[in-house]
Amino acid sequence: MKDYVKSRKHEWDEACYVPDVKNLTRLRAVVSKMVALQGEFLAGGVVIREFERFDGAGESRVWWVDGEAVLVGPHPDSPETLPDPDLTAVAPAVRALGCRFITTDLALRSDGEWRVVEVGDGQVSDLPSTTDPMDLYAHLPVPD
């Protein structure tokens, strides 16, 4: 569970994960805790999605400019990992969004399929500490 922008994954048990959404008491408790922790920073509303098992090797963050992947690297939460996601299915979906500058966070599911975990605004997405900002900036359009 998350809001439209951020999850509370660092408070997994109390403010992020609901093992059984049919257990309304537990669902209400986790949603309430997440909303309380987000406070004034709650963005949009609450998003609940099905739990998927990932391989645990860390996420990849992909920076897209005008629908093209310009930088693929680790997620800021795991800057030491070097995942190599398959972008074949992701690229057409990103292009269809029509956004000039976005990021996608991807993780490898335990069944070997890459899954988009989150799509973000490129303007507010952090770079991992191991990435030189110039590797991204060199791909940004220069205004006329």
Side-chain angles (χ1 to χ4, degrees), residues 33-138:
K33 183 69 171 184
M34 188 273 295
V35 169
L37 289 170
Q38 291 296 85
E40 66 180 279
F41 299 105
L42 182 70
V46 175
V47 177
I48 299 173
R49 61 187 226 192
E50 185 175 352
F51 178 78
E52 296 181 284
R53 296 208 180 277
F54 296 109
D55 74 349
E59 293 179 24
S60 176
R61 178 159 286 173
V62 182
W63 299 84
W64 302 82
V65 175
D66 294 328
E68 298 299 321
V70 297
L71 180 63
V72 179
H75 187 277
D77 289 349
S78 54
E80 68 288 343
T81 64
L82 296 173
D84 185 23
D86 180 0
L87 302 178
T88 306
V90 178
V94 167
R95 287 186 199 106
L97 291 173
C99 298
R100 296 214 62 204
F101 187 44
I102 66 169
T103 58
T104 53
D105 295 343
L106 294 96
L108 188 62
R109 289 193 323 210
S110 57
D111 67 0
E113 292 293 319
W114 283 96
R115 170 67 80 188
V116 174
V117 177
E118 188 167 48
V119 177
D121 183 337
Q123 298 176 82
V124 297
S125 299
D126 291 335
L127 281 167
S129 59
T130 54
T131 300
D132 182 349
M134 289 309 296
D135 291 343
L136 173 62
Y137 299 156

